[in-house]
């Protein structure tokens, strides 16, 4: 099955964390933005793609935001590290904030290693993280060591404030720079003129 995800276990500071094989999408170009969204406690009771496994309103808003942006995005799993949205996962119960500082440091190093495997060099890449402080804190040093930029637009916001932030985001734009609603209205007007 060519869609199956293969893993190899990487031991970092004595912790074995599965690493997914590189995606066929290939490396990004330097300076490109990548969105990383944190997992949440609420999950489906069955295997599902990562993008569908997590069920909270906050995760759904994060996902919708990521899907409307013109860049790659991944899920940050406290158990699996970096996860492509379509990778099928089994439900699990592990919160990064409840893990030891050693685990969190190893997790951050492993996620950055996974990012390098997926994207190539990380220098000048912009990683926009939509996750709680334990995720951001674990990624800060290893990304910095590789010359990457860490962006945290929701830093310091409570959950309700984060949900409101996502609701205020403008709709995606087409390649011509007009929003979908404006492009649709222009199309209707153009049709009526002919």
């Amino acid at each position: 099955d060519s869609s199956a995800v293969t893993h190899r276990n990487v031991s970092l500071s004595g912790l074995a964390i599965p690493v997914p094989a590189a995606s066929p999408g290939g490396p990004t170009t330097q300076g490109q933005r990548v969105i990383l969204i944190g997992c949440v406690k609420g999950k489906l009771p069955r295997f599902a793609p990562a993008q569908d496994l997590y069920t909270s309103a906050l995760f759904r808003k994060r996902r919708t935001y990521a899907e409307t942006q013109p860049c790659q995005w991944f899920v940050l799993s406290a158990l699996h590290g970096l996860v492509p949205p379509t990778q099928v996962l089994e439900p699990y119960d592990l919160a990064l904030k409840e893990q030891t500082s050693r685990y969190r440091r190893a997790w951050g190093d492993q996620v950055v290693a996974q990012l390098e495997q997926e994207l190539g060099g990380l220098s000048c890449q912009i990683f926009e993280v939509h996750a709680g402080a334990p995720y951001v804190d674990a990624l800060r040093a290893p990304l910095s060591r590789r010359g990457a930029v860490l962006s945290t637009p929701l830093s310091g916001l409570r959950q309700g404030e984060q949900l409101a932030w996502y609701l205020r985001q403008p709709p995606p734009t087409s390649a011509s720079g007009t929003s979908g609603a404006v492009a649709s209205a222009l199309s209707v007007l153009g049709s009526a003129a002919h």
Side-chain angles (χ1 to χ4, degrees):
D1 180 42
S2 63
S3 66
V5 175
T6 59
H7 288 83
R8 61 184 174 87
N9 281 330
V10 174
S11 180
L12 191 58
S13 302
L15 301 173
I17 300 175
V19 178
S23 70
T28 62
T29 57
Q30 221 175 6
Q32 202 166 342
R33 182 171 139 234
V34 176
I35 296 176
L36 305 174
I37 63 173
C39 67
V40 295
K41 184 175 183 169
K43 298 172 189 70
L44 294 173
R46 57 179 164 71
F47 283 84
Q51 64 191 5
D52 301 323
L53 180 66
Y54 307 98
T55 59
S56 76
L58 181 59
F59 184 85
R60 287 192 309 269
K61 294 289 185 203
R62 288 173 177 170
R63 174 189 171 177
T64 299
Y65 172 78
E67 289 176 333
T68 63
Q69 301 304 301
C71 60
Q72 280 186 282
W73 68 281
F74 296 91
V75 174
L76 295 172
S77 163
L79 179 63
H80 302 287
L82 186 75
V83 180
T86 58
Q87 181 179 328
V88 175
L89 299 177
E90 181 177 14
Y92 60 92
D93 187 20
L94 182 79
L96 194 60
K97 69 181 178 183
E98 296 171 359
Q99 304 310 305
T100 65
S101 59
R102 180 173 174 237
Y103 181 93
R104 290 191 304 270
R105 276 192 309 275
W107 179 91
D109 287 337
Q110 187 56 49
V111 167
V112 172
Q114 290 172 300
L115 283 166
E116 285 179 317
Q117 185 179 20
E118 288 283 339
L119 307 173
L122 302 184
S123 180
C124 298
Q125 297 285 348
I126 301 163
F127 293 95
E128 184 177 313
V129 181
H130 294 253
Y135 295 85
V136 173
D137 293 344
L139 295 171
R140 189 177 314 281
L143 285 173
S144 178
R145 284 193 300 269
R146 287 163 178 84
V149 177
L150 180 65
S151 170
T152 56
L154 303 174
S155 181
L157 298 182
R158 294 184 300 262
Q159 185 171 338
E161 294 169 323
Q162 290 180 39
L163 291 168
W165 184 91
Y166 289 115
L167 291 173
R168 289 191 309 270
Q169 297 312 297
T173 57
S174 67
S176 65
T178 58
S179 74
V182 171
S184 178
L186 290 173
S187 173
V188 169
L189 289 173
S191 298
H194 292 100

